[in-house]
Amino acid sequence: MKTDQSKFVSRSQPEERKQMKNLVKSCLQSVQLGTPQMFKGVAIVPLTARKDGTCQYRSLGEALTRSDIAITEVSESGSVPELLVVNRGDRPVLLIDGEELAGAKQNRVLNTSILLKEMSETRIPVSCTEQGRWSPVSKVFSESGNVMAYKTRSRKTRSVHSSLESSGNHRSDQGEVWRGISELQSKTGTHSPTSAMNDVFKAHAQDLKRCDEIFNSVPNQVGFIAFIGGVPAGLDIVSLKGMYTKLHSKLVRSYALDGLFDAKDQPLDPDSVVRQAKTFLDEIGSTDEQEFTSIGYGQDHRLRGKGLGGTALVHKNEIIHAAIFRFDKPEQRESPRL
């Protein structure tokens, strides 16, 4: 079994940046916008594609169900910002930026999207989503079923970008993550004895179930643009239609949880939503990018534009997963905290 210890080395040759920009533009220009789905000030615009990607991989949930992977603390004492993943399967496994892992000494989320190599052992960068616990409840991690709520996820993604620029590491501003979860608990009126993000999702399970019923996946869907209060909040897209179907609910809930409490319950004009969605895609196409060595397969591309930014995991000229956000706060470059 090979050990993946990729160095976080930035590569910024002009020709490579140009190719990446063309790849992002090509991907965004190739998708079609579907009919907006709306509920209580939240709108989801499906993104569909005619062709599927060629790189095949499993989702976290599928790999755990098959017992292909085991995720644990890096040692008996543990380390907050990293975990150990052993992939025993014969296929790569996709871990999504913001995807939550539950158990062990405390719950964590992924700091970046990772395409785990088959038959490999990898240390992965994570952030804590349960500030009040540091005691084991299980030996291995399980899938919580959540992707970090949009606002905190977007801030985490931005701080990881800053960390990559300053130190070459996929480290987040952990203090900012905890503040984001605290804000989420406050605005949703949720109490958690360990300040666990997962408890907020559990407390509002019925509202999120209603969102599942309204925001259905559609044929050939590979992603979506989410709107909160009539404004584009972010985009998620993956390379495989079947993979998107597996991830649809948890990705939509990431935006819906914030949106149900931030957006006013006002009627939205579908035509206006579609026009803004097209503009948002154009804005993403004009962002600047930097390329960093990924953990596992591919390259980690970071995008930044006026008021927005995100990440795209690229492997063999395919965007395996991209997440781009409209930032809810002005950018503040801070050194990452553990």
Side-chain angles (χ1 to χ4, degrees), residues 49-150:
R50 294 188 178 91
K51 296 182 179 180
D52 226 352
T54 59
C55 179
Q56 300 297 310
Y57 47 87
R58 294 189 174 105
S59 66
L60 168 66
E62 183 180 8
L64 287 171
T65 299
R66 295 169 59 95
S67 298
D68 281 347
I69 66 172
I71 307 175
T72 64
E73 301 287 356
V74 296
S75 64
E76 185 175 347
S77 59
S79 173
V80 173
E82 59 182 354
L83 299 175
L84 181 66
V85 184
V86 176
N87 181 10
R88 297 181 289 263
D90 59 359
R91 186 177 295 184
V93 176
L94 177 63
L95 308 179
I96 292 291
D97 178 280
E99 199 163 23
E100 188 178 42
L101 305 167
K105 287 180 175 289
Q106 62 182 191
N107 297 349
R108 319 287 223 291
V109 296
L110 273 293
N111 279 356
T112 186
S113 291
I114 300 170
L115 190 60
L116 292 171
K117 296 177 181 178
E118 60 274 23
M119 301 298 295
S120 65
E121 184 175 293
T122 311
R123 289 194 176 211
I124 60 172
V126 293
S127 297
C128 166
T129 55
E130 191 176 12
Q131 186 177 5
R133 178 172 70 90
W134 186 250
S135 58
V137 296
S138 62
K139 186 175 181 180
V140 298
F141 285 89
S142 61
E143 182 185 25
S144 79
N146 305 322
V147 169
M148 175 173 271
Y150 145 71

Side-chain angles (χ1 to χ4, degrees), residues 7-207:
K7 293 182 179 180
F8 306 140
V9 180
S10 173
R11 298 189 295 173
S12 57
Q13 291 89 336
E15 185 59 31
E16 289 182 347
R17 291 201 306 271
K18 181 179 179 181
Q19 291 175 356
M20 172 55 193
K21 176 167 283 192
N22 290 337
L23 182 61
V24 171
K25 286 184 176 179
S26 176
C27 176
L28 297 180
Q29 290 172 355
S30 67
V31 298
Q32 292 81 48
L33 298 174
T35 302
Q37 302 168 344
M38 295 173 284
F39 177 60
K40 291 189 175 181
V42 179
I44 297 294
V45 180
L47 299 175
T48 62
R50 294 188 178 91
K51 296 182 179 180
D52 226 352
T54 59
C55 179
Q56 300 297 310
Y57 47 87
R58 294 189 174 105
S59 66
L60 168 66
E62 183 180 8
L64 287 171
T65 299
R66 295 169 59 95
S67 298
D68 281 347
I69 66 172
I71 307 175
T72 64
E73 301 287 356
V74 296
S75 64
E76 185 175 347
S77 59
S79 173
V80 173
E82 59 182 354
L83 299 175
L84 181 66
V85 184
V86 176
N87 181 10
R88 297 181 289 263
D90 59 359
R91 186 177 295 184
V93 176
L94 177 63
L95 308 179
I96 292 291
D97 178 280
E99 199 163 23
E100 188 178 42
L101 305 167
K105 287 180 175 289
Q106 62 182 191
N107 297 349
R108 319 287 223 291
V109 296
L110 273 293
N111 279 356
T112 186
S113 291
I114 300 170
L115 190 60
L116 292 171
K117 296 177 181 178
E118 60 274 23
M119 301 298 295
S120 65
E121 184 175 293
T122 311
R123 289 194 176 211
I124 60 172
V126 293
S127 297
C128 166
T129 55
E130 191 176 12
Q131 186 177 5
R133 178 172 70 90
W134 186 250
S135 58
V137 296
S138 62
K139 186 175 181 180
V140 298
F141 285 89
S142 61
E143 182 185 25
S144 79
N146 305 322
V147 169
M148 175 173 271
Y150 145 71
K151 282 190 176 180
T152 309
R153 183 180 171 212
S154 67
R155 297 174 197 171
K156 177 188 63 65
T157 298
R158 185 166 57 187
S159 70
V160 171
H161 188 171
S162 296
S163 175
L164 283 167
E165 289 180 315
S166 63
S167 63
N169 294 315
H170 289 80
R171 294 289 178 90
S172 72
D173 182 338
Q174 181 62 71
E176 179 69 11
V177 170
W178 282 333
R179 285 191 292 275
I181 295 172
S182 178
E183 291 173 9
L184 181 67
Q185 291 171 340
S186 178
K187 75 181 178 184
T188 60
T190 305
H191 171 72
S192 169
T194 59
S195 296
M197 182 186 74
N198 191 28
D199 286 344
V200 183
F201 280 86
K202 288 180 178 178
H204 299 281
Q206 290 303 312
D207 290 331

Side-chain angles (χ1 to χ4, degrees), residues 269-300:
D269 176 23
D271 292 336
S272 175
V273 169
V274 171
R275 286 194 299 270
Q276 290 189 71
K278 291 178 180 178
T279 300
F280 187 59
L281 291 178
D282 290 339
E283 291 179 30
I284 295 171
S286 63
T287 55
D288 295 325
E289 317 86 25
Q290 291 173 281
E291 180 186 337
F292 300 88
T293 301
S294 183
I295 302 164
Y297 282 123
Q299 298 82 42
D300 184 349

